Amino acid sequence: MELNVPELNITLTVGDTVKLGRFDLETWIVQNGWYSWGGNRPTNGWYLVNTLSKEVKPLYYTDLEDIYLIEG
């Protein structure tokens, strides 16, 4: 499954490892499907999982703008 964002020249695939500018030292794994975060009800969509802490965060458009590294 791919997430293509032509206006940012980004294509993400489930399982890609990314870095976000505001989280210099952390890496995240791109996922898609059902997830819960912050005590909210489960939702379906694109999200990130921190490789060390396993923290889950939704993948927002601003995150896409902040990506500076993509490893497949």
Side-chain angles (χ1 to χ4, degrees), residues 35 37 46-48 56-60 63:
Y35 68 97
W37 67 279
W46 291 91
Y47 63 101
L48 301 172
V56 172
K57 79 178 258 25
L59 180 59
Y60 295 118
D63 296 321

Side-chain angles (χ1 to χ4, degrees), residues 36-53:
S36 294
W37 67 279
N40 295 307
R41 293 179 183 172
T43 190
N44 192 302
W46 291 91
Y47 63 101
L48 301 172
V49 178
N50 187 293
T51 57
L52 295 178
S53 70

Side-chain angles (χ1 to χ4, degrees), residues 25-39:
L25 304 175
E26 300 176 13
T27 56
W28 302 82
I29 304 293
V30 176
Q31 297 292 336
N32 183 271
W34 288 97
Y35 68 97
S36 294
W37 67 279

